[in-house]
């Protein structure tokens, strides 16, 4: 009997020791808070709506996580999503088969990510500077292509990409869940994932170990572009229209919040899929809850900024503790 009792302690200790546990508890507290003050918030139906709403941002947040993991930053995610959504919609309007439309759009996303990666690695320009520039270039290109007009009137096949029919098993949610599993496997079981942690943790040491850091960094931005193309297609499809100048503005900060509050370290070397998923759900719950209580949409900007600041403070504290520990060992 005593052995059975003590057997639960390692499990409890393991759960409490996970770095995702604090943010999970905070997310549950926020969710319960909105359940208490907004009657329409609680229930399976609204939970399903939140999951559907975070699918697109969640996909983008996965890409943002691996970018931050390697010590990078991407301010162009909203612009690339807009460009891919516009291109996908225009290809569909041109009458191309849906399979070809999706394939070409994915290639455009990968190419946009490659542009970011090559500029960063080949010219040795800081990530934040490159992506700040390409943010304007990609969105400007999308606006020029459309003449600042809405792209709409999609085919049934294209509309299916963002359809929420099916509840928890709708296409965007299923794709999101599959990508979560793929990224979790990649980061925890594959050599590629270990290389990302090594690159973000200590680029100089990773280079001495024989890693091609520039090529690896470029590949990360290409994967990010691939995810943004998926999200762009779903965004245009779900809204049944897209406007290049306004689509996904501010997306970089929302997804950055999800990744950082989920445990990604702004200095690189840390991050997890589970943490990012929880962070995405937290952001989605706050947005949905504010709508339910009829609060101003500007409160979402306030909470987004507050969460980013909180995450950065946590990153700084953890880095300082890590530095003290290493110094103590030395």
């Amino acid at each position: 009997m005593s052995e059975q009792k003590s057997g639960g302690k390692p499990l409890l200790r393991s759960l409490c020791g996970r770095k995702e546990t604090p943010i999970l508890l905070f997310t549950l507290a926020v969710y319960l808070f909105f359940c208490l003050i907004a009657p329409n918030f609680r229930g399976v139906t609204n939970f399903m709506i939140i999951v559907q709403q975070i699918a697109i941002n969640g996909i983008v947040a996965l890409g943002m996580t691996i970018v931050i993991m390697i010590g990078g930053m991407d301010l162009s995610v909203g612009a690339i999503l807009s460009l891919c959504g516009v291109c996908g919609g225009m290809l569909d309007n041109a009458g191309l088969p849906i399979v070809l439309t999706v394939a070409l759009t994915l290639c455009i996303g990968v190419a946009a990510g490659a542009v970011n990666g090559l500029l960063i690695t080949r010219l040795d320009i800081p990530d934040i500077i490159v992506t700040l520039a390409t943010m304007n270039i990609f969105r400007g290109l999308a606006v020029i292509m459309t003449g600042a007009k809405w792209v709409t009137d999609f085919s049934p096949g294209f509309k299916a990409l963002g359809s929420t029919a099916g509840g928890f098993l709708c296409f965007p949610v299923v794709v999101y869940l599959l990508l979560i599993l793929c990224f979790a496997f990649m980061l925890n079981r594959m050599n590629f994932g270990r290389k990302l942690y090594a690159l973000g943790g200590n680029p100089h040491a990773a280079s001495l170990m024989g890693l091609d850091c520039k090529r690896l960094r470029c590949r990360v931005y290409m994967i990010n572009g691939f995810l943004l193309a998926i999200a762009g297609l779903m965004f245009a499809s779900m809204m049944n229209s897209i406007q290049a100048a306004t689509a996904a503005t501010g997306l970089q900060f929302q997804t950055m919040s999800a990744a950082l509050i989920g445990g990604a370290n702004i200095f690189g070397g840390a991050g997890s899929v589970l943490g990012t998923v929880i962070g995405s759900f937290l952001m989605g719950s706050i947005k949905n809850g504010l709508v339910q209580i009829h609060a101003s949409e500007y409160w979402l900007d306030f909470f987004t900024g507050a969460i980013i600041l909180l995450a950065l403070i946590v990153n700084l504290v953890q880095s300082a503790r890590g530095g003290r520990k290493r110094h103590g060992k030395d």
Side-chain angles (χ1 to χ4, degrees), residues 18 20 62 65-66 69 176-194 196-197 227 271-277:
R18 289 189 65 89
E20 296 90 359
L62 291 175
T65 299
I66 61 172
M69 274 177 53
Y176 180 39
L177 292 175
L178 290 175
L179 287 171
I180 289 173
L181 294 176
C182 289
F183 269 68
F185 182 79
M186 178 184 75
L187 294 182
N188 297 314
R189 301 293 181 182
M190 293 180 63
N191 191 40
F192 181 73
R194 290 189 286 271
L196 296 186
Y197 283 112
L227 294 178
S272 73
V273 172
L274 177 60
T276 297
V277 171

Side-chain angles (χ1 to χ4, degrees), residues 9 11 28 52 109 182 212 232 257 304 325 330:
K9 291 182 179 179
L11 176 61
L28 289 174
Q52 291 175 343
C182 289
D212 188 341
S257 298
T304 299
K325 288 180 179 179
D330 295 339

Side-chain angles (χ1 to χ4, degrees), residues 188-236:
N188 297 314
R189 301 293 181 182
M190 293 180 63
N191 191 40
F192 181 73
R194 290 189 286 271
K195 289 179 180 179
L196 296 186
Y197 283 112
L199 174 60
N202 192 327
H204 181 65
S207 180
L208 292 177
M209 290 168 55
L211 295 183
D212 188 341
C213 295
K214 289 187 176 182
R215 183 178 180 183
L216 190 60
R217 188 177 296 274
C218 191
R219 287 175 66 185
V220 167
Y221 279 95
M222 290 171 70
I223 293 172
N224 190 40
F226 178 81
L227 294 178
L228 289 168
I230 295 175
L233 287 167
M234 290 182 179
F235 181 91

Side-chain angles (χ1 to χ4, degrees), residues 92 95-103 155 157-159 161 233:
D92 181 70
L96 269 67
I98 186 63
V99 174
L100 186 56
T101 294
V102 171
S155 67
F158 191 89
K159 291 178 181 178
L161 297 176
L233 287 167

Side-chain angles (χ1 to χ4, degrees), residues 4 9 11 72 77 186 190 210 213-214 219-220 228 233 246-247 265 281 285 290 295 301-303 311 313 316 323:
Q4 291 179 349
K9 291 182 179 179
L11 176 61
V77 291
M186 178 184 75
M190 293 180 63
C213 295
K214 289 187 176 182
R219 287 175 66 185
V220 167
L228 289 168
L233 287 167
T246 58
N265 193 321
F281 185 79
S285 297
L290 292 175
D301 296 331
F302 172 83
F303 283 114
I313 292 173
L316 289 171

Side-chain angles (χ1 to χ4, degrees), residues 91-303:
L91 290 170
D92 181 70
N93 286 346
L96 269 67
I98 186 63
V99 174
L100 186 56
T101 294
V102 171
L104 290 174
T105 304
L106 293 178
C107 290
I108 292 170
V110 172
V115 168
N116 280 339
L118 290 172
L119 288 173
I120 291 166
T121 58
R122 302 304 176 187
L123 300 181
D124 289 323
I125 305 174
D127 307 56
I128 192 169
I129 301 299
V130 168
T131 57
L132 179 63
T134 56
M135 174 182 70
N136 292 284
I137 292 171
F138 291 142
R139 192 174 293 277
L141 181 60
V143 172
I144 292 170
M145 290 171 57
T146 60
K149 297 179 181 178
W150 288 84
V151 181
T152 185
D153 297 326
F154 302 132
S155 67
F158 191 89
K159 291 178 181 178
L161 297 176
S163 173
T164 56
F168 287 112
L169 296 178
C170 67
F171 188 74
V173 173
V174 170
V175 172
Y176 180 39
L177 292 175
L178 290 175
L179 287 171
I180 289 173
L181 294 176
C182 289
F183 269 68
F185 182 79
M186 178 184 75
L187 294 182
N188 297 314
R189 301 293 181 182
M190 293 180 63
N191 191 40
F192 181 73
R194 290 189 286 271
K195 289 179 180 179
L196 296 186
Y197 283 112
L199 174 60
N202 192 327
H204 181 65
S207 180
L208 292 177
M209 290 168 55
L211 295 183
D212 188 341
C213 295
K214 289 187 176 182
R215 183 178 180 183
L216 190 60
R217 188 177 296 274
C218 191
R219 287 175 66 185
V220 167
Y221 279 95
M222 290 171 70
I223 293 172
N224 190 40
F226 178 81
L227 294 178
L228 289 168
I230 295 175
L233 287 167
M234 290 182 179
F235 181 91
S237 173
M238 189 177 291
M239 301 299 176
N240 198 27
S241 62
I242 185 168
Q243 214 279 342
T246 58
T249 53
L251 180 66
Q252 63 271 29
F253 301 116
Q254 297 170 29
T255 53
M256 193 188 307
S257 298
L260 291 175
I261 201 68
N265 193 321
I266 194 67
F267 303 108
S272 73
V273 172
L274 177 60
T276 297
V277 171
I278 296 171
S280 296
F281 185 79
L282 171 63
M283 297 301 297
S285 297
I286 293 174
K287 182 177 182 179
N288 185 280
L290 292 175
V291 171
Q292 297 285 358
I293 63 175
H294 307 291
S296 169
E297 64 180 45
Y298 297 111
W299 278 103
L300 179 62
D301 296 331
F302 172 83
F303 283 114

